[in-house]
């Protein structure tokens, strides 16, 4: 059973608009959560890491929240650019070390149009 | 310069043939991983290693072998490639807080 569910599966927005990507998970324990950006045909690039209950992070136009009680995270992208077109992957780590397993969502495909 | 380099970038293999995917990292990370990515699914762990000359099975190891001859290098070996192994394969390295992924190897088995 998939332990990390992302929604929507795909999303089209116009350049300049904001968007919100959702991640729900059932991984236990949930030590940390990461958001990655994957450009087509490329590897995964880390956007942010959330560790604590009710964590909030900001990385330029990207901001993220984590609610460990609800096992839910959101990724907000503000004022989207064409270069934001990519797949965004939510990943939950079950330990705070490299010994832990990473549990990957299938990703949300974001398309930004002019 | 890319810290995790995979080769080849893409490959077409014949069913039953042997395939070796290579990964090289310059991060000085102890941990290295091989994942496969299938359309519509999250990455799944095949094999990993936390020290040279030692490998561990991940979640889907059947049909794959791994080799870690040095801290920098980690290979994935398909002794008898099958159609179901068509996928994109990602190598990654990590320490306790940072994960770095390669750009992937697109494998097509025909």
């Amino acid at each position: 059973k998939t332990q990390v569910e992302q929604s929507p599966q795909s999303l089209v927005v116009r350049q300049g608009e904001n968007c919100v990507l959702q991640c729900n998970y059932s991984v236990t324990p949930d030590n940390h959560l990461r958001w990655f950006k994957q450009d087509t045909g490329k590897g995964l690039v880390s956007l942010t890491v959330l560790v604590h209950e009710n964590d909030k992070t900001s990385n330029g136009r990207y901001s993220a929240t984590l609610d460990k009680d609800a096992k839910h995270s959101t990724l907000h992208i503000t004022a989207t650019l064409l270069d934001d077109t990519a797949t965004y992957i939510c990943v939950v780590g079950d330990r705070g070390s490299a010994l832990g397993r990473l549990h990957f969502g299938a990703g949300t495909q974001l398309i930004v149009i002019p | 310069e890319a810290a995790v380099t995979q080769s080849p970038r893409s490959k077409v293999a014949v069913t039953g043939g042997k395939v070796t995917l290579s990964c090289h990292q310059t991060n000085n990370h102890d941990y290295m991983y091989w994942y496969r990515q299938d359309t519509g699914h999250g990455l799944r762990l095949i094999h990993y290693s936390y020290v040279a000359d030692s490998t561990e099975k991940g979640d889907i190891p059947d049909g794959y072998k791994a080799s870690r001859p040095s801290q920098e290098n980690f290979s994935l070996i398909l002794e008898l490639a099958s159609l179901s192994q068509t996928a994109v394969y990602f190598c990654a390295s990590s320490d306790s807080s940072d994960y770095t992924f390669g750009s992937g190897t697109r494998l097509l088995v025909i």
Side-chain angles (χ1 to χ4, degrees):
Chain A
K1 184 180 185 296
T2 302
Q3 295 191 67
V4 180
E5 300 277 359
Q6 292 188 241
S7 62
Q9 195 170 20
S10 63
L11 179 63
V12 180
V13 299
R14 291 201 178 274
Q15 183 177 353
E17 293 179 341
N18 303 333
C19 64
V20 181
L21 282 57
Q22 312 282 351
C23 178
N24 289 287
Y25 62 91
S26 58
V27 177
T28 300
D30 52 344
N31 179 273
H32 63 274
L33 187 146
R34 301 170 183 266
W35 283 95
F36 287 91
K37 178 185 180 186
Q38 184 181 23
D39 291 315
T40 301
K42 303 287 187 179
L44 282 68
V45 175
S46 180
L47 294 175
T48 191
V49 179
L50 302 113
V51 178
H52 305 294
E53 172 63 33
N54 296 322
D55 238 0
K56 294 182 181 179
T57 62
S58 181
N59 177 10
R61 294 179 298 103
Y62 300 100
S63 61
T65 65
L66 175 61
D67 181 343
K68 281 197 171 184
D69 279 345
K71 291 188 179 292
H72 177 74
S73 176
T74 60
L75 177 68
H76 298 247
I77 307 176
T78 304
T80 53
L81 303 173
L82 297 178
D83 283 348
D84 291 332
T85 294
T87 298
Y88 292 82
I89 299 174
C90 174
V91 183
V92 180
D94 59 18
R95 286 197 222 182
S97 73
L99 282 170
R101 292 293 179 88
L102 297 183
H103 303 265
F104 291 79
T108 291
Q109 185 179 20
L110 174 65
I111 299 172
V112 182
I113 60 175
Chain B
E1 185 176 342
V4 177
T5 305
Q6 294 183 229
S7 62
R9 290 295 306 274
S10 64
K11 183 172 181 64
V12 179
V14 177
T15 304
K18 182 177 181 179
V19 177
T20 299
L21 307 183
S22 300
C23 179
H24 178 81
Q25 58 112 349
T26 57
N27 295 322
N28 200 34
H29 286 165
D30 287 328
Y31 285 79
M32 295 188 74
Y33 312 83
W34 276 106
Y35 293 92
R36 67 175 280 173
Q37 184 178 42
D38 298 280
T39 303
H41 294 86
L43 272 70
R44 291 181 290 171
L45 181 63
I46 305 170
H47 284 286
Y48 66 100
S49 168
Y50 53 84
V51 68
D53 294 322
S54 177
T55 64
E56 304 292 333
K57 292 181 179 180
D59 298 321
I60 53 165
D62 293 345
Y64 303 94
K65 292 183 180 180
S67 174
R68 182 94 182 269
S70 64
Q71 187 195 39
E72 298 80 15
N73 295 293
F74 192 36
S75 298
L76 185 68
I77 303 147
L78 290 67
E79 294 279 3
L80 296 169
S82 66
L83 297 175
S84 65
Q85 292 177 313
T86 291
V88 180
Y89 291 85
F90 286 96
C91 176
S93 71
S94 77
D95 57 18
S96 60
S97 60
D98 177 45
Y99 284 84
T100 305
F101 285 81
S103 298
T105 294
R106 190 172 296 271
L107 175 66
L108 173 63
V109 182
I110 59 174

